[in-house]
Structure formats: structure tokens, C-alpha cells
Amino acid sequence: EGMAASIDPVFNIYEMAMPWAVKRTLSPSTDKGVQVFRSTIMTEENKIQWERLLELASMNNSDKDSTETSKQPTATSTTASEKRNDAMKNAIESLMGSSDGRALRRALTDLDTIDLILKLSSRDGRPLLEKLSQQVVSKRREKKMLKAQPTGATQSASETPTFSTQGTTQ
């Protein structure tokens, strides 16, 4: 950490270790670990423990708010924040398709979906729903941008078909 701090004064080893810690937390390897994981996020009736989830989400938002108000964002801090967020997403995404993510996938499969829908549509669940919606929209935009990139010759503006008011192509 000392060497990293001499190169990057805002370096925080805990922030850099967070994706690894999240991945390890979401991928318990023992039966006891799976039981603890499930009891942490779900009740015995397979309902999400919303208070814990919302508390974690609000802690994350309050950390961002306090960081943003305590210092002006710099290119370095913004880049570090973006890299950390990307690392977190990659850690979770890599779990979903790997054998290490078995406990997480099983918990998601066992989840009481009616409870999930009711909570997300409630006033308390609105911030979480908005955050999830923003992520879905962002992913769709990324996919559209990738599809829109030309793979060969591009169509010029003069080759683009236009439509007249009668509905015929010109």
C-alpha cells in the first residue's frame, strides 16, 4: 500500500480489494458457508431480507455522497471509481456463469418472486428499482452501440432511404 500511495495518493487498498471480497462472499465453498450466505440475504421462507439489502444500498449511496461533497472529483478519482465499479461488475458477472456462482444462482432461483415484485414496486424499493433500471438501460445502450458500429462499408447519407408523406420509399 505504501508504494502504491507514493504513485497514487488516493489509492485505497480496501477499495481495490472490494471486488475480490464481494466475489468470495457471494461464492461460499463449504456447506456451512452456503448456509450463512443464504441466512444473510434470505429468510427461511426464501424472502429477501430487505432491511439488510436496503441498508447496504443506502450505505453505498451515503458513502458516494460524503465522498463527493468532501472533495472535488479529479480525473484520477473518477477513473479509479469507474475502474472499481467495473471490477465489481466483472466480479459478479463472472460468478453468474461459473461453477463458483452456484450458491448465488441457487439463492436467486429459490427467491420468492412475488415478494420481490411487491417490494420493488413499493415506496421503499423504488430507489433499488431505479438503480436496477438504470443498469438495464445502460447495458441495452452498450449493446445497441456495439451493433451500430460498422462492420464493413457504411451507408452514406445519400444511400439512406427516405419516406414521403404518401408512405412510398424515395
Side-chain angles (χ1 to χ4, degrees):
E1 186 177 6
M3 289 186 338
S6 66
I7 296 169
D8 182 4
V10 294
F11 178 79
N12 183 333
I13 195 162
Y14 299 109
E15 286 181 0
M16 293 293 112
M18 185 60 74
W20 179 85
V22 167
K23 190 172 180 177
R24 288 290 298 138
T25 301
L26 296 176
S27 61
S29 57
T30 65
D31 289 341
K32 179 69 174 167
V34 170
Q35 289 174 350
V36 170
F37 169 68
R38 287 182 67 92
S39 69
T40 300
I41 63 169
M42 298 169 68
T43 67
E44 289 182 16
E45 296 82 26
N46 292 331
K47 294 183 179 191
I48 291 180
Q49 295 199 33
W50 288 104
E51 293 76 23
R52 289 185 180 176
L53 184 63
L54 294 173
E55 182 180 313
L56 288 172
S58 69
M59 278 191 336
N60 187 25
N61 288 338
S62 67
D63 288 348
K64 285 180 188 174
D65 293 343
S66 66
T67 302
E68 289 172 3
T69 57
S70 67
K71 63 180 179 182
Q72 292 294 328
T74 63
T76 306
S77 66
T78 301
T79 304
S81 175
E82 289 170 356
K83 286 181 181 178
R84 184 182 66 245
N85 289 339
D86 286 344
M88 294 289 284
K89 288 178 190 175
N90 290 338
I92 294 171
E93 287 174 2
S94 70
L95 276 178
M96 294 307 288
S98 75
S99 60
D100 292 339
R102 184 175 26 255
L104 177 59
R105 287 190 307 274
R106 182 63 191 199
L108 292 172
T109 302
D110 292 344
L111 191 66
D112 181 344
T113 53
I114 293 173
D115 179 58
L116 174 67
I117 292 168
L118 289 174
K119 192 59 173 185
L120 288 176
S121 62
S122 73
R123 184 178 179 150
D124 291 340
R126 189 170 295 140
L128 184 59
L129 181 60
E130 288 173 1
K131 187 178 243 185
L132 292 171
S133 299
Q134 290 170 354
Q135 288 180 352
V136 167
V137 168
S138 175
K139 284 287 186 185
R140 290 187 55 88
R141 284 187 183 144
E142 287 175 19
K143 286 182 180 181
K144 280 186 176 183
M145 287 175 50
L146 289 174
K147 286 181 181 179
Q149 290 179 350
T151 56
T154 59
Q155 193 177 38
S156 69
S158 62
E159 296 171 357
T160 305
T162 58
F163 296 93
S164 70
T165 55
Q166 281 97 16
T168 59
T169 306
Q170 297 178 343

